[in-house]
Amino acid sequence: MDLNQIIQFVSNIDLHLIELIEQFGVGVYVILFLIIFLETGAVIMSILPGDSLLVGAGAFAATKDLNLAALLIGFYLATVLGDTLNFHLGQFFGQKYHHSRFEEKNLLKFINKENFEKVNRFFSNNGRKSFLFSRFIPVARSLMPFSAGFTQVNFPDVFPFILIGNALWSGLYVLLGFFVGN
């Protein structure tokens, strides 16, 4: 299998769920949770399926091929851990930005100070609530935690919204698949 085939398989993993369940058995949970963790935890991995994977897995829970409780708990934990990693990656790169701003060689010259401050004000004022809604927008769910971390928002300020948003997103889509699958 070449790299292109692997990328095609992984980006369409929701279409290959039955194959994965048959081939890996209980190990399929690790694969599914890892995909959702990467989709939310690594900004560049937002191309991975999220919504469709949750719905598909929920549908297989309706047929008893997968356990509904395990999916709900596992996907929730994967998304919370993914968002937490994503936030801290943003925080790391944001600190690099702050430190490099004052050096001659600015590695992140493409970031405008004015826009940086606007984003920081957005998160500090009412942007925390946007974590609830961004979960339902594929690329936004990867960018929100990274952007908040990058602009040095306090993690405890956004963490409750990460918890609630991920519970709503993962729970809603898995249950939607479960009821459609029934």
Side-chain angles (χ1 to χ4, degrees), residues 1-17 19-20 23-24 28 30-40 42 44-54 75:
M1 198 180 253
D2 69 359
L3 183 61
N4 192 29
Q5 289 174 316
I6 293 170
I7 292 170
Q8 287 299 319
F9 182 81
V10 171
S11 62
N12 295 305
I13 198 99
D14 52 318
L15 303 175
H16 303 286
L17 272 174
E19 298 167 31
L20 290 173
Q23 186 172 359
F24 294 102
V28 76
V30 174
I31 295 168
L32 296 176
F33 301 153
L34 183 61
I35 289 169
I36 293 298
F37 170 76
L38 290 173
E39 194 251 356
T40 59
I44 59 171
M45 299 301 283
S46 62
I47 60 165
L48 293 172
D51 304 335
S52 58
L53 182 61
L54 295 176
F75 283 137

Side-chain angles (χ1 to χ4, degrees), residues 44-107:
I44 59 171
M45 299 301 283
S46 62
I47 60 165
L48 293 172
D51 304 335
S52 58
L53 182 61
L54 295 176
V55 172
F60 279 101
T63 64
K64 306 294 186 221
D65 289 318
L66 295 173
N67 181 283
L68 180 63
L71 291 176
L72 289 169
I73 293 167
F75 283 137
Y76 176 68
L77 291 175
T79 57
V80 169
L81 292 173
D83 275 0
T84 301
L85 171 66
N86 204 346
F87 180 91
H88 290 296
L89 285 173
Q91 196 172 45
F92 172 79
F93 287 109
Q95 288 171 349
K96 293 280 185 200
Y97 170 74
H98 284 295
H99 289 106
S100 67
R101 255 182 19 200
F102 303 108
E103 297 173 8
E104 283 181 37
K105 252 187 161 179
N106 186 343
L107 300 175

Side-chain angles (χ1 to χ4, degrees), residues 99-162:
H99 289 106
S100 67
R101 255 182 19 200
F102 303 108
E103 297 173 8
E104 283 181 37
K105 252 187 161 179
N106 186 343
L107 300 175
L108 301 170
K109 287 182 182 179
F110 60 90
I111 298 173
N112 180 316
K113 182 181 177 184
E114 182 181 315
N115 289 338
F116 180 88
E117 290 171 357
K118 281 182 187 177
V119 173
N120 189 304
R121 280 192 304 274
F122 169 74
F123 282 117
S124 296
N125 295 333
N126 60 358
R128 294 171 289 202
K129 295 175 201 156
S130 61
F131 276 91
L132 300 176
F133 305 109
S134 70
R135 294 302 314 157
F136 297 91
I137 304 168
V139 176
R141 73 174 144 254
S142 292
L143 291 176
M144 286 298 285
F146 185 85
S147 300
F150 191 91
T151 59
Q152 307 302 299
V153 171
N154 290 325
F155 186 68
D157 291 344
V158 296
F159 191 63
F161 295 98
I162 288 173

